[in-house]
Amino acid sequence: APAPALLASQRLRQHSPCLRRSFFLRTGPIYSLGPPSVIPPAAPGDRDVSVQIVSGRDESLQMKSLDLGSVFNALRQRVPASQQVQAETFARIFYQRMTRDEFVQHSPDAWAALAADFLSLARMRKRGEADVRVFNATLAQQGWESPHTTIQIVNDDMPFLVDSVTMAMAEQGIAVHVLGHPVVNMTRDAEGDLLAVGDGLPESLIHMEIDRQSTDAMQGVERTIRSSLCDVRAIVADWN
């Protein structure tokens, strides 16, 4: 009989709205902004939803390099000198596949604020644990803004992470509008403090923007995501 982990992974494949894109997402960093391709909520009984994760443009456009010098300059104004190398390395990886038409959606300072804010989330995390936050970004608090609710996750890199989270949202009737999933190598000490970016063990970073949620609803979204991530960790551990 198939192992429990295999059965669970098969169920995840059957129910996930974007599994066919999951390995593409995990093979390299992406950031898709601009006119969004929405990952729709699952319809009742729908078990094979075909979606487009990236913005649907020609892949040659996705791979064109973008001069992030203005973002790096803005980052230097936001992080201490001792953290600037980490911050620039992080931003370079996170925005590696961003295109010019996506870049103009925000100012360089806003892109710098988003990267610095996400990096602050990643600065302390013990292996085997997930850092999750759900919030409505504002210029006053985060230095950038979005009409959507933002989910940010830092986790050990493993299969099915993006699929499990998007599936959990779809099952609640919540659409995903923006999805970024860089896999970044990070070095940490025994307590989980970040020592270096670009070296060390791979960590999965997920930036997702969903239908805007109220404060109370965001708490429920976070609980759902944490539960989903725990399930995936158990499946992967059993599988291995």
Side-chain angles (χ1 to χ4, degrees):
L6 180 57
L7 291 174
S9 67
Q10 289 172 343
R11 288 195 294 269
L12 187 59
R13 287 175 178 273
Q14 292 169 357
H15 291 218
S16 172
C18 62
L19 181 65
R20 67 193 64 187
R21 291 279 177 175
S22 66
F23 292 104
F24 167 72
L25 287 169
R26 293 183 68 253
T27 55
I30 70 164
Y31 194 88
S32 180
L33 197 67
S37 293
V38 175
I39 301 175
D46 192 351
R47 290 295 180 260
D48 186 19
V49 181
S50 178
V51 300
Q52 182 75 17
I53 300 302
V54 294
S55 55
R57 302 176 184 85
D58 186 273
E59 286 197 16
S60 62
L61 284 176
Q62 296 281 348
M63 295 304 294
K64 283 186 178 179
S65 61
L66 185 68
D67 183 4
L68 295 176
S70 57
V71 176
F72 296 154
N73 289 336
L75 264 177
R76 295 184 189 107
Q77 306 302 314
R78 289 185 169 273
V79 299
S82 61
Q83 298 177 0
Q84 287 179 4
V85 172
Q86 290 182 359
E88 290 186 19
T89 302
F90 180 87
R92 193 183 305 278
I93 296 171
F94 193 77
Y95 297 136
Q96 182 175 330
R97 298 190 66 176
M98 184 167 63
T99 60
R100 284 175 172 79
D101 56 341
E102 292 169 340
F103 183 71
V104 299
Q105 299 286 325
H106 290 298
S107 68
D109 188 62
W111 288 121
L114 193 159
D117 193 40
F118 203 153
L119 182 57
S120 69
L121 175 65
R123 287 204 173 277
M124 173 61 189
R125 186 188 71 86
K126 291 186 177 181
R127 287 194 59 79
E129 299 178 0
D131 283 345
V132 180
R133 65 182 176 189
V134 182
F135 60 97
N136 291 325
T138 65
L139 286 174
Q141 292 189 351
Q142 282 79 28
W144 61 281
E145 60 183 353
S146 169
H148 309 118
T149 290
T150 299
I151 299 169
Q152 292 181 335
I153 300 168
V154 185
N155 197 71
D156 300 327
D157 186 37
M158 61 185 65
F160 308 131
L161 290 174
V162 171
D163 308 288
S164 67
V165 175
T166 53
M167 181 178 69
M169 294 299 95
E171 289 178 345
Q172 293 193 28
I174 299 173
V176 177
H177 298 268
V178 176
L179 174 60
H181 181 216
V183 177
V184 182
N185 288 355
M186 295 189 178
T187 301
R188 299 183 183 274
D189 64 18
E191 299 301 317
D193 288 321
L194 183 65
L195 300 178
V197 176
D199 295 310
L201 297 174
E203 299 190 18
S204 182
L205 309 181
I206 300 175
H207 174 94
M208 184 178 291
E209 296 180 26
I210 62 173
D211 292 339
R212 195 167 184 88
Q213 307 291 306
S214 67
T215 300
D216 289 342
M218 284 191 290
Q219 295 174 359
V221 167
E222 181 174 339
R223 287 194 297 269
T224 297
I225 290 172
R226 289 187 180 277
S227 176
S228 179
L229 293 175
C230 286
D231 290 344
V232 172
R233 186 177 296 278
I235 290 170
V236 173
D238 189 25
W239 201 349
N240 292 335

